[in-house]
Amino acid sequence: MEKPYNLEERTFLFAKDCRFYINKLPKTISNIEDGRQLVRSSGSVGANYIEANEKLGDKDLSFRLKISRKEAKESRYWLRLLQELNPDLKSISEELLLEAEELRKIISAIITKTTKQ
């Protein structure tokens, strides 16, 4: 599947896909709690990226981008944990893990580029 070039849209789709994944998980206590954490972190990737684009200054831009990157890393953590406990949905979680890592790398590259200016 072709991924959108627009990073705001791509982060939105990532958060949406994480929610679809969570809805497929068995309703165990750990899945519910870990799923809640994934909902928060996956949504924060895009929310903080959008806020970075509406920057109040260079420091604010850098700060918001770093939070967005941190949330992508956190999303990977929750996805890994959910994957270990739900191996029957591994194909879905693998795609989400890959996307979380790609988003982290893209955001890292933006941070590097903007701090060198």
Side-chain angles (χ1 to χ4, degrees), residues 2-117:
E2 185 77 19
K3 294 181 181 175
Y5 183 74
N6 179 316
L7 198 53
E8 284 187 20
E9 181 65 15
R10 189 164 169 177
T11 58
F12 172 82
L13 293 173
F14 172 66
K16 184 181 83 170
D17 290 344
C18 284
R19 283 151 176 77
F20 284 140
Y21 170 64
I22 290 163
N23 285 334
K24 292 180 181 183
L25 296 171
K27 304 300 181 226
T28 64
I29 291 172
S30 62
N31 282 347
I32 291 167
E33 291 303 316
D34 295 344
R36 283 184 180 145
Q37 294 291 337
L38 179 57
V39 165
R40 287 186 191 97
S41 62
S42 65
S44 289
V45 175
N48 280 287
Y49 178 74
I50 288 167
E51 285 191 35
N53 286 335
E54 302 298 323
K55 67 179 180 150
L56 301 172
D58 290 340
K59 284 184 179 178
D60 187 55
L61 170 69
S62 177
F63 178 70
R64 297 288 176 195
L65 287 170
K66 286 176 181 175
I67 292 174
S68 184
R69 178 178 62 186
K70 179 185 79 70
E71 297 293 345
K73 288 168 89 172
E74 185 177 328
S75 294
R76 275 189 49 84
Y77 176 83
W78 297 116
L79 283 163
R80 284 183 58 217
L81 196 53
L82 287 163
Q83 182 182 64
E84 288 291 318
L85 299 172
N86 300 279
D88 50 322
L89 295 172
K90 189 171 183 170
S91 63
I92 299 169
S93 59
E94 280 294 326
E95 285 182 34
L96 292 170
L97 280 163
L98 180 62
E99 181 65 358
E101 182 60 15
E102 286 181 14
L103 290 171
R104 186 198 63 77
K105 287 179 179 176
I106 292 167
I107 295 165
S108 289
I110 295 168
I111 291 168
T112 301
K113 185 178 177 184
T114 57
T115 54
K116 286 184 178 178
Q117 293 177 348

